[in-house]
Amino acid sequence: MALSVIILAAGKGTRMKSDLPKVLHPIANKPIVEHIINTVQSIDSDTINLVYGHGGDMLKEALRDYSLNWCLQEEQLGTGHAVMQAQTHISDSDDVMILVGDAPLISKETLESLIHAKQSCDLALLTVNLDDPTGMGRIVRDPQSDNISAIVEHKDASPEQLQISEINTGMMIMSGANLKRWLSALSNDNAQNEYYLTDVIAMAASEGKRIQSAQPQWQQEVEGINNRKQLAALECAYQHRLADKLMEDGVHIFDPYRIDVRGELSCGKDVSIDVNAVFEGNVVLGDRVKIGPNCVLKNCEIGSDTVIEAFSHIQDAKVQSNCTIGPYARLRPGADLGEGAKVGNFVEIKKAKVGKGSKVNHLSYIGDAELGEGVNIGAGTITCNYDGVNKFKTDIGDDVFIGSNSALVAPVTIQKGATVGAGSTITKSVEADNLAIARGKQRNISSWQKPVKKK
Ligand code: UD1
Ligand code: CA
């Protein structure tokens, strides 16, 4: 049987007070609705129907990589009306899973348990018990059999029904044939004059259909986001869950409340991560890598035993094993560090290869360059790679020593074993093992009269 999914995402999200449609607000740098789509993709579903209303162009742009049936709900006349917009894409023989578009943390396991519950009934419903069920639809059960007989919305509930703590999460599964038949019987004769999807429950019960419930593994999975506070709360919950998982896998996290993973982080053995590290995109850390406090790593691969000291920033870079980076280092796109390389404080490396064991320890800019092995770059060295229009390359051979405060004006080559005297501005290539000095000659003037203050 095919499984068709309908994600309800037409709500405006007024309380976000934003120009961005609610479901495009990010959790861990990824739109809320994309989290749900990715989770749906991880189960065996056949089609995904997205019911949208506001910000259609923005949504279509943000989700352009996904194959979705786009179902426009021009006016938001309720959750039942929203589901009606996807009806044409549903065949009678499908199982249809309806999800709310603003609860990003719903897990694969919970969706699977909902699917499992449907296997032995006609309608499976995801419910949860809340300490404070205010505002939510209440699950009404038959007092004798305990079978679910209806969902009553908060605004339509009697004082007794308001005491019920079991609530509707909005997520459910039923057959396409049943869904369509029940949708056609919905009315908007209720407190909010909306077509409530939840009314199908009473219809199912009155037809004698079997209704089962399933529960999420943890409550945050079914929490929707309506305002910025809830967005932040679910971001924390998401990060905390990821931190738990990393610790279970053997990562030493100094403080699980102070780590942010906005993408995929994969760690080898005995990796340690100090406070306030931010990981974005795809980050791979080898065995025993140490990340100091306040580092940002984005799309990079760090070899085993490398130490990244505090306040370092690494993006689209590759670092081999046994390197030392920072504190306060910046590796920009195309930085490629060989084994045992050292990049120290206030050093920026861009599109440059730094060979095995080479050192750039202090206050330097190395861009569009290739450094061999065993190179030592003195403090304050700059590769002058840009003439205002074009970029040029600097080539530095093995075992070269560049004295402090040198400017290497590219294109330029410093061959193997050469030395550049401190303070040089190098504009011509230097041959192997030569010493190049390009700086004003020092004159010492004796009997120098210091200036005196004018009266
Ligand atoms: C709904 C349920 C309620 C449940 C709660 C869980 C109904 C009638 N009520 O209430 O039982 O406890 O969700 O959060 O179903 N949406 C549309 N089009 C619409 C209306 C809503 O796409 O016309 C979407 C929203 O974008 C949202 C979801 O449906 O993703 C739920 O809508 P919301 O307004 O939050 O429903 P509630 O009234 O809170
Ligand atoms: Ca809601």
Side-chain angles (χ1 to χ4, degrees), residues 442-446:
Q442 180 172 338
R443 284 193 305 149
N444 292 347
I445 298 167
S446 60

Side-chain angles (χ1 to χ4, degrees), residues 91-169:
S91 52
D92 287 356
S93 59
D94 287 352
D95 257 350
V96 185
M97 178 158 70
I98 298 163
L99 301 176
V100 293
D102 62 357
L105 302 196
I106 188 71
S107 72
K108 175 178 190 244
E109 291 72 21
T110 294
L111 294 186
E112 281 169 350
S113 69
L114 187 63
I115 292 167
H116 181 78
K118 168 64 178 62
Q119 282 164 5
S120 57
C121 68
D122 302 299
L123 193 157
L125 192 60
L126 193 69
T127 74
V128 72
N129 284 77
L130 296 183
D131 293 339
D132 178 13
T134 309
M136 312 302 273
R138 306 299 205 281
I139 306 294
V140 181
R141 289 179 182 265
D142 181 278
Q144 261 87 55
S145 64
D146 204 39
N147 287 338
I148 295 173
S149 57
I151 295 176
V152 179
E153 291 307 302
H154 184 101
K155 287 183 178 152
D156 301 284
S158 67
E160 296 76 47
Q161 288 168 333
L162 288 177
Q163 300 302 311
I164 300 171
S165 64
E166 187 183 12
I167 63 101
N168 169 35
T169 64

Side-chain angles (χ1 to χ4, degrees), residues 400-455:
V400 161
F401 182 96
I402 308 284
S404 296
N405 199 32
S406 294
L408 310 175
V409 183
V412 71
T413 300
I414 323 276
Q415 286 181 357
K416 195 174 183 322
T419 299
V420 168
S424 293
T425 298
I426 300 295
T427 53
K428 289 186 294 206
S429 293
V430 182
E431 280 175 28
D433 300 315
N434 282 198
L435 166 67
I437 308 186
R439 64 183 183 224
K441 260 214 163 104
Q442 180 172 338
R443 284 193 305 149
N444 292 347
I445 298 167
S446 60
S447 66
W448 169 246
Q449 213 53 60
K450 282 188 184 164
V452 286
K453 189 130 184 129
K454 277 188 185 158
K455 292 243 163 65

Side-chain angles (χ1 to χ4, degrees), residues 181-256:
R181 191 175 68 258
W182 293 328
L183 284 178
S184 67
L186 288 183
S187 89
N188 63 352
D189 183 14
N190 51 49
Q192 304 183 77
N193 293 119
E194 285 183 1
Y195 294 92
Y196 291 165
L197 173 64
T198 44
D199 284 351
V200 306
I201 310 302
M203 294 178 192
S206 72
E207 286 181 16
K209 299 279 191 239
R210 292 160 304 161
I211 304 171
Q212 298 279 338
S213 61
Q215 276 71 42
Q217 294 196 317
W218 55 307
Q219 196 183 303
Q220 278 112 335
E221 282 188 49
V222 297
E223 285 177 8
I225 292 172
N226 299 300
N227 58 42
R228 306 266 184 178
K229 273 157 92 172
Q230 290 168 336
L231 181 71
L234 285 196
E235 173 82 37
C236 290
Y238 174 89
Q239 293 300 344
H240 201 59
R241 188 162 65 153
L242 266 181
D244 270 355
K245 173 94 180 53
L246 287 167
M247 292 187 291
E248 279 160 19
D249 291 346
V251 179
H252 176 198
I253 295 178
F254 285 38
D255 180 352

Side-chain angles (χ1 to χ4, degrees), residues 74-86:
E74 277 180 64
E75 263 187 294
Q76 278 73 62
L77 303 178
T79 49
H81 182 258
V83 174
M84 289 175 201
Q85 312 313 308

Side-chain angles (χ1 to χ4, degrees), residues 12 16 61 90 125 138 149 164 227 235 270 284 309 312 319 376 442 454:
K12 193 169 178 192
M16 297 300 281
E61 172 60 20
I90 303 294
L125 192 60
R138 306 299 205 281
S149 57
I164 300 171
N227 58 42
E235 173 82 37
D270 290 306
V284 179
E309 306 273 15
S312 294
V319 176
N376 192 320
Q442 180 172 338
K454 277 188 185 158

